[in-house]
Amino acid sequence: MIELVIDARRKDLGGFEVGRVLPFHSRRMVGPFIFLDQMGPAEFAPGSEAINVRPHPHIGLSTLTYLFEGEIMHRDNTGATEAIRPGEVNWMTAGSGIVHSERTDPLKKSQGGAMHGMQAWVALPKELEETAPAFHHFGEDGQPAYENAGLFARLVAGEAYGAKALAPVSSPLFYVHWELAEGVRTAPPPGKGAGGYSERALYVVKGEIEVGDRTFHEGQMIVLEPTAEPTVKAIRPSSVMVLGGEPVGPRVIWWNFVSSSQERIDQAKADWKAGRMALPAEDDLEFIPLPDVPATPEPAPEKPEPTHPV
């Protein structure tokens, strides 16, 4: 029933913790999902730095930002400027190349407050890796949702349970937010054997759940076997992200770049280092330089951490 359990690796970014789930050494992707972070939960003091991610580039993927608490201001070089708040979706397609920043609004910094959410990267199919960059924002009311008897479910992206979300996904996938009261039982979208998705996983954001005869807690991802059809039970009130889809093939990931081609990664490195990727018009006074990573012997070259704490 359960193929693998991944524990989030916690990283302190200076008063703000991130839990890195994907990629994992023995499981690089789940469906097209190639990167998954839990950001926070954190409580920022008034006047603190909060979220301050300078402009940086991406290629070959779509990013999906989803918050439980707090607010982040997104700016990119397509001209998009958008604040994301709890229950909303920021869907950014990098394609051939995009540059964006993520920051806390100065007024929010002065007030302080909570921050908690998820950041996912979705690899684009090979034939769409060089698509034109784009940004879409969807409000809380724009996501299909269901609530009954202690279960709240919101379809954040893709298709599941007979519903389709608004985010313009490029391959078959699903991404669902569950809020479960104690004792509630439910199930993920069906697997391969039932005509559903080939790859699926559950990530426990908070609380504790039971899958089969095993119990899992906050910060654990449960990767399901392709044909498994488990019932999930909340041992106590829990928040869970359910995700998966169809594989798009192996990918190279280096810093913020994702591609099916190492040569394309190398080109993106050169483009960013040479200043050939434009900064956001409303946030062009600084940027994150290309990481200077020393060469190491194959087969395990050193790779810089992605820019995103979100």
Side-chain angles (χ1 to χ4, degrees), residues 60-61 93-96 124-132 169-171:
L61 53 80
T93 297
S96 60
L124 292 170
K126 188 173 182 179
E127 65 273 15
L128 295 176
E129 286 184 308
E130 297 301 319
T131 193
V169 302
S170 299
S171 65

Side-chain angles (χ1 to χ4, degrees), residues 64-239:
L64 192 165
T65 305
Y66 182 78
L67 300 182
F68 308 112
E69 296 181 282
E71 179 181 306
I72 298 171
M73 180 62 72
H74 164 98
R75 295 181 179 88
D76 68 45
N77 64 352
T78 72
T81 297
E82 188 70 57
I84 182 172
R85 301 176 181 90
E88 300 178 346
V89 171
N90 272 6
W91 180 273
M92 183 184 77
T93 297
S96 60
I98 202 167
V99 179
H100 77 132
S101 64
E102 294 164 303
R103 304 188 190 256
T104 300
D105 180 86
L107 177 60
K108 297 291 183 182
K109 282 186 181 181
S110 68
Q111 296 171 341
M115 176 59 64
H116 190 199
M118 303 295 299
Q119 175 82 31
W121 294 0
V122 180
L124 292 170
K126 188 173 182 179
E127 65 273 15
L128 295 176
E129 286 184 308
E130 297 301 319
T131 193
F135 176 82
H136 297 85
H137 173 86
F138 303 101
E140 185 176 5
D141 294 339
Q143 321 313 315
Y146 170 84
E147 188 167 11
N148 185 48
L151 165 66
F152 171 80
R154 175 182 287 126
L155 181 60
V156 178
E159 297 186 50
Y161 306 116
K164 183 176 181 178
L166 294 176
V169 302
S170 299
S171 65
L173 65 87
F174 68 93
Y175 192 40
V176 178
H177 170 202
W178 284 345
E179 289 291 331
L180 309 175
E182 182 177 338
V184 166
R185 296 176 183 268
T186 188
K192 189 174 181 180
Y197 291 100
S198 298
E199 299 185 1
R200 298 163 298 153
L202 311 163
Y203 178 69
V204 185
V205 176
K206 69 176 183 180
E208 188 176 21
I209 64 173
E210 184 179 84
V211 183
D213 59 354
R214 298 174 63 181
T215 300
F216 302 94
H217 55 75
E218 176 179 333
Q220 290 189 303
M221 171 177 273
I222 305 102
V223 180
L224 301 172
E225 291 180 344
T227 58
E229 299 299 336
T231 296
V232 179
K233 178 184 176 181
I235 304 301
R236 52 192 176 91
S238 300
S239 302

